[in-house]
Amino acid sequence: MNLTTFLLALFDGVSYAALVFIVALGLTLIFGVMRILNVAHGSLYAIGAYATVSLVGWVLALGAAPILAFPLMIVSAILVGVLIGGPVEYLLLRRIYDKPEVLQLLVTFAVFMILEDVQRLVWGTQPYFEAQALRALGNVTVFGVTYTVYQLILLPLVALTLLVGLRFFLRRTVTGKLITATTEDREAAQSIGIDADRVFLLTFVMGAILAGLGGALASPTTSILPGMGADMIVLSFAVVATAGLGQIEGAAIAALMIGMGRSFAIYIWPEVAVLVPYLIMVLVLLVRPEGLFGSPAARKI
Amino acid sequence: MMLSFKDVSASIGIIPILRGLDVEIPQSQTVAMIGRNGAGKTTFLRTIMGFTRTTGEIRFDGKRIDTLHPPKRPGLGIGYAPEDRRLFSAFTVEENILLPAQAAGLDQAETQKRLDRAYEILPELREMAGRPGGQVSGGQGKMVALARALMLGRKLVLLDEPFQGLAPALAQRYSEALRALRDSDRSVTLIITESNPALLRGFADRTLVIERGEIAEGAPQTEGESA
């Protein structure tokens, strides 16, 4: 492996890890607070991508500047979180918090199946591609390797900002503290006047926005087509499980490990590249069943 | 009447714990609720906070609260310190104390006023304000839980077995703090559960004895000793 391929693999890995991390962050936040493994997270990711492509395509067709694609990504993510995430929590999940985990898993899986068909109904099965945002930022050359600014700088920067921002939000802001307290002890939180129902709704919407944002940010880098949600949910599950459920910083490191593992495998041993994320997960879980940073009993975020 | 129970039954899951209670507790009374483990003391307090399946009618300060969403109840002026103290380990001692005020959306000035009052009653907490909530001893934790309950408990404070597991010196300190609380605000109503009646002798205005989910009026000095 020469320097050029090494750098290419490294850059691929970083940009891929950033995207996976953003999605996994939402998944681990929801799990950490609500103890629900949300399979429908993958659909929210896919719908975030579809919504962005449609919205950006529509606005740019009106003659707007390509740079406008960025705020539109955020708008799409928020729409996905509020319009889909909100009702899913309020109408469905709220009724099953005290039910067995198997049932919760089945319900979120059902939501996933429904949303997959909704995507086909709304956007059809033809792939979409809309890379205006990617082109708008241009390229950068590092040691002779040319890479897009969007993937090499913007995506990791967004991921890092979300990591630091979420940590700050949960520890330092009043709303974040109420979420953290509810995570640790729901009844104790309610007994001091924290409305756990509202905390759960807010957390789920935030997690859904992160999934939608992951999709929105991924949209200029890939073809948007049916099945992308399923791929991403499996991958972000691997990240979250490797890190330890509910571990925010851990998810960042696990995403890097898995992103790097996958991208280096593509250059070195492409046949197994798809397998690598799961191999990493299996190896980590064999040694530490609670994940890299998880602890068996404590419940924190 | 500050707090009244009318034919209140409560169950946890499908197991009935409290049976047809009728109790009235006037304002500014200090009530000792005595009973063996499993008699229903904790359930009585948790029923006021809304954590049990309840039938019957509970009124607080003239308002029906049994139908009120549990997290809305502390905002009416009810503070609750559970037996196992349940501090949040992610936060410092002071952050733990402040949380109820933040959840209720009190403004900065009012929050500070209430925090100062809590520190006045429990001055030793000032020194450990910055300690993580998970790193205080059991006894200190009870003090923190009391301070936290005082933030919203302007009218009614519920303390679940506060003396359980306290070293004698700390128990002494804790009861001094309770006296300081009563002296600072004569209007506050206190309900303290305890399995050992001797600990509350001379402090409570009234003793209620709870036995198999039913409440009886107890004569504090005599019946208490035989229990």
Side-chain angles (χ1 to χ4, degrees), chain A:
Chain A
M1 177 174 245
N2 60 28
L3 181 67
T4 309
T5 36
F6 174 81
L7 284 178
L8 271 174
L10 186 73
F11 296 167
D12 283 354
V14 167
S15 76
Y16 191 68
L19 274 180
V20 177
F21 168 71
I22 293 167
V23 180
L25 189 61
L27 193 66
T28 211
L29 175 72
I30 290 171
F31 184 84
V33 176
M34 306 163 68
R35 298 276 116 167
I36 278 200
L37 213 43
N38 178 29
V39 181
H41 206 67
S43 306
L44 300 171
Y45 162 82
I47 294 174
Y50 275 116
T52 305
V53 170
S54 297
L55 210 58
V56 170
W58 177 62
V59 171
L60 295 195
L62 297 174
I67 203 82
L68 223 66
F70 295 104
L72 289 176
M73 287 177 180
I74 296 171
V75 170
S76 309
I78 292 173
L79 285 178
V80 167
V82 174
L83 296 183
I84 302 176
V88 165
E89 197 282 337
Y90 193 81
L91 300 173
L92 222 53
L93 301 185
R94 183 158 293 200
R95 294 159 204 276
I96 56 164
Y97 289 131
D98 49 357
K99 297 283 190 295
E101 279 146 13
V102 177
L103 185 86
Q104 299 175 346
L105 209 58
L106 280 174
V107 167
T108 66
F109 189 65
V111 175
F112 169 77
M113 302 286 273
I114 293 166
L115 290 179
E116 285 299 294
D117 278 345
V118 167
Q119 289 162 48
R120 286 185 174 83
L121 213 63
V122 176
W123 286 283
T125 50
Q126 291 298 312
Y128 286 73
F129 190 64
E130 170 56 71
Q132 297 268 20
L134 190 79
R135 286 196 285 272
L137 290 184
N139 295 328
V140 59
T141 303
V142 184
F143 295 113
V145 176
T146 303
Y147 217 86
T148 63
V149 170
Y150 183 87
Q151 285 168 293
L152 188 59
I153 296 168
L154 182 79
L155 290 184
L157 213 62
V158 171
L160 208 63
T161 309
L162 287 173
L163 171 65
V164 175
L166 190 66
R167 176 50 75 209
F168 179 84
F169 169 75
L170 289 173
R171 282 283 185 274
R172 296 272 165 260
T173 67
V174 169
T175 310
K177 282 180 179 177
L178 302 186
I179 292 178
T180 308
T182 309
T183 308
E184 227 182 290
D185 188 338
R186 192 176 170 190
E187 186 177 303
Q190 289 199 301
S191 75
I192 58 169
I194 298 176
D195 189 340
D197 291 349
R198 267 177 53 196
V199 164
F200 278 18
L201 177 62
L202 181 73
T203 305
F204 195 80
V205 168
M206 278 174 51
I209 289 176
L210 285 170
L213 187 65
L217 288 166
S219 69
T221 68
T222 177
S223 297
I224 317 297
L225 72 179
M228 68 182 288
D231 292 345
M232 186 47 103
I233 191 63
V234 178
L235 204 67
S236 51
F237 268 147
V239 166
V240 168
T242 304
L245 293 159
Q247 298 294 320
I248 291 175
E249 285 83 359
I253 291 167
L256 264 180
M257 279 169 57
I258 283 173
M260 289 295 173
R262 179 180 168 277
S263 70
F264 274 90
I266 287 173
Y267 288 93
I268 297 165
W269 194 8
E271 292 83 355
V272 300
V274 188
L275 257 182
V276 165
Y278 313 109
L279 282 178
I280 294 175
M281 176 182 80
V282 167
L283 284 178
V284 167
L285 295 185
L286 276 178
V287 183
R288 280 185 66 89
E290 63 276 13
L292 281 178
F293 305 93
S295 52
R299 181 171 172 190
K300 282 182 196 167
I301 189 141

Side-chain angles (χ1 to χ4, degrees), chain B residues 6 30 78 98 121 129 134 147 189:
Chain B
K6 204 186 265 172
T30 298
I78 307 177
L98 286 173
I121 290 163
T189 308

Side-chain angles (χ1 to χ4, degrees), chain B residues 188-206:
Chain B
V188 72
T189 308
L190 274 171
I191 303 178
I192 307 166
T193 69
E194 189 48 69
S195 43
N196 178 3
L199 285 169
L200 291 170
R201 188 169 305 130
F203 181 67
D205 304 318
R206 178 182 179 194

Side-chain angles (χ1 to χ4, degrees), chain B residues 16-32:
Chain B
I17 310 283
L18 303 180
R19 302 153 202 265
L21 298 193
D22 286 290
V23 186
E24 295 205 320
I25 295 169
Q27 192 185 4
S28 79
Q29 197 166 58
T30 298
V31 177

Side-chain angles (χ1 to χ4, degrees), chain B residues 83-117:
Chain B
E83 185 188 351
D84 44 1
R85 67 206 171 89
R86 295 166 96 155
L87 301 186
F88 299 106
S89 65
F91 300 122
T92 65
V93 163
E94 184 162 294
E95 284 174 319
N96 264 284
I97 300 172
L98 286 173
L99 265 178
Q102 290 167 332
L106 299 184
D107 63 39
Q108 201 87 49
E110 183 61 27
T111 303
Q112 189 59 46
K113 210 176 93 191
R114 294 190 185 196
L115 180 67
D116 288 342
R117 172 172 169 264

